[in-house]
Amino acid sequence: MAETIHKHELGRGERIVPGVFRLRLPLPWPGVPHCNAWAVSAGDGVVLFDTGMHQPGSVAHLERALEMCDLRIEDVRLVVCTHAHSDHYGQAATVVERAGCELWMHPNYEHMTHWATDTDAAIARRLEVARQSGVPEEPLRRYAEQRRDHDSGIAALVKPDRALLPGVTVATDLGAWTVHETPGHAPSHVCLFQPERRLLISGDHLLGRISLYFDYGYSPDPVGEFVHSLDVVERLGARLCLPGHGRTFTDVHAHIEGNRDLVRSRTERVLGAISGGELRTAFEIVPEIYDDVRLSAMTAPWLLTETLSFLLHLEVTGRAVRSPGEGGAELWQAA
Ligand SMILES: [Zn+2]
Ligand SMILES: [Zn+2]
């Protein structure tokens, strides 16, 4: 199955406040129809926060969105990525080359280079995790075949010219933006904050519609890191959030609380599923955790990754233990 952008979806650009433009770019993913890049005026050009994905036709979508704001790719003076997922970083190489500008990004982007440089090895690693989780061989084989046909969504691997770490500031006409590490969704995730205007570029850390995603396998406890990152962002006191997907929103605190509640209830649910006395694989408990989501080839890998992230979080916090089972599977029970 080739990933193609829906024909009726077009890149669109709109001004949010003076000097801040939302570029809404289409994605080929079911349930996630588009992502946002943000252009912020800076001198005779703009700083581009995130880039959209690299896909057939995607450069034209970016150009169209910029044009609606009276901008061109050549006006970009700096590319800043909130994190190294393909929908936020995929077009970075294209923009950096055409605009002749720098890329700034957090140094923990190894989770992306796997997919961009050695897709087969990245798939093999994911299959190994799935096997440990107790996924049967047949769906695994189908997943591997499907995944091999997909391209990475990344134009080319381009390394950051500058490490986006606390202390670095991004200069724009609206003032300087400060950098805040917010791992959890991805190890490379940062949020950018403009203190005088209290604007937050939140990437995928905070979205208008509360939904969780964790990059599993690249850090000790993605769920715990995500919860800590919610505290980090709460302290900033943002007034307007410019998220990586969907519309801007002002009730930032309520979104932070919503995420905390969801993490709490999922953690309890996963703990409940392994508290019955029997040893269980991650795969076995997925349908109990997400009784409201239909399991499909599309949703299963994502739900399994999330369940594993919660099991790991329970283990790290001393509430679950794992033991080896048959065929390399890992079995879980409450501590
Ligand atoms: Zn992401
Ligand atoms: Zn995203």
Side-chain angles (χ1 to χ4, degrees), residues 12 35 49 56 70 87 91 116 119 135 139 147 155 161 169 202 216 271 282 294 320 330:
R12 289 177 203 282
C35 60
F49 294 88
D70 245 336
D87 51 330
Q91 203 72 281
T119 310
V135 181
R147 188 71 220 203
D161 298 285
T169 56
S202 65
Y216 176 84
L271 184 57
R294 208 175 66 83
E330 290 177 334

Side-chain angles (χ1 to χ4, degrees), residues 229-246:
S229 295
L230 290 173
D231 297 345
V232 167
V233 165
E234 183 169 49
R235 282 195 291 272
L236 298 174
R239 179 181 60 80
L240 179 67
C241 187
L242 315 176
H245 303 263

Side-chain angles (χ1 to χ4, degrees), residues 57-220:
S58 63
V59 178
H61 288 293
L62 178 60
E63 286 175 326
R64 185 180 190 275
L66 284 166
E67 203 177 287
M68 288 173 76
C69 308
D70 245 336
L71 293 165
R72 298 176 317 139
I73 288 180
E74 287 72 17
D75 294 326
V76 177
R77 299 288 171 263
L78 172 66
V79 175
V80 173
C81 288
T82 58
H83 62 299
H85 283 161
S86 59
D87 51 330
H88 301 260
Y89 164 82
Q91 203 72 281
T94 314
V95 178
V96 160
E97 201 203 301
R98 272 184 54 182
C101 68
E102 289 195 348
L103 164 70
W104 295 4
M105 187 165 73
H106 193 277
N108 293 353
Y109 57 84
E110 187 214 20
H111 63 95
M112 173 273 295
T113 48
H114 275 147
W115 288 102
T117 58
D118 193 348
T119 310
D120 284 351
I123 292 171
R125 182 168 163 173
R126 189 164 277 191
L127 290 177
E128 189 46 42
V129 170
R131 244 172 235 119
Q132 284 172 2
S133 311
V135 181
E137 281 301 320
E138 185 44 40
L140 276 185
R141 210 168 15 243
R142 257 177 299 152
Y143 169 78
E145 277 163 21
Q146 275 179 14
R147 188 71 220 203
R148 223 153 256 145
D149 295 340
H150 289 189
D151 57 40
S152 65
I154 293 168
L157 185 65
V158 53
K159 289 190 177 154
D161 298 285
R162 186 155 183 196
L164 205 55
L165 290 166
V168 172
T169 56
V170 179
T172 68
D173 292 353
L174 278 74
W177 297 69
T178 52
V179 177
H180 305 272
E181 291 177 300
T182 46
H185 172 82
S188 57
H189 205 292
V190 300
C191 289
L192 295 119
F193 183 60
Q194 209 300 309
E196 288 80 30
R197 295 166 199 265
R198 292 165 57 207
L199 299 176
L200 181 73
I201 292 177
S202 65
D204 286 348
H205 178 59
L206 284 184
L207 297 170
R209 191 178 58 139
I210 292 168
S211 69
L212 303 174
Y213 178 88
F214 306 109
D215 253 332
Y216 176 84
Y218 299 96
S219 65

Side-chain angles (χ1 to χ4, degrees), residues 24-25 30 37 44 53 69 81 108 116 121 133 172 187 196 207 235 253 270 294 312-313 317 331:
R24 201 189 76 167
L25 306 167
D44 61 352
M53 194 175 184
C69 308
C81 288
N108 293 353
S133 311
T172 68
E196 288 80 30
L207 297 170
R235 282 195 291 272
H253 178 73
V270 173
R294 208 175 66 83
L312 179 62
H313 180 59
T317 53
L331 302 172

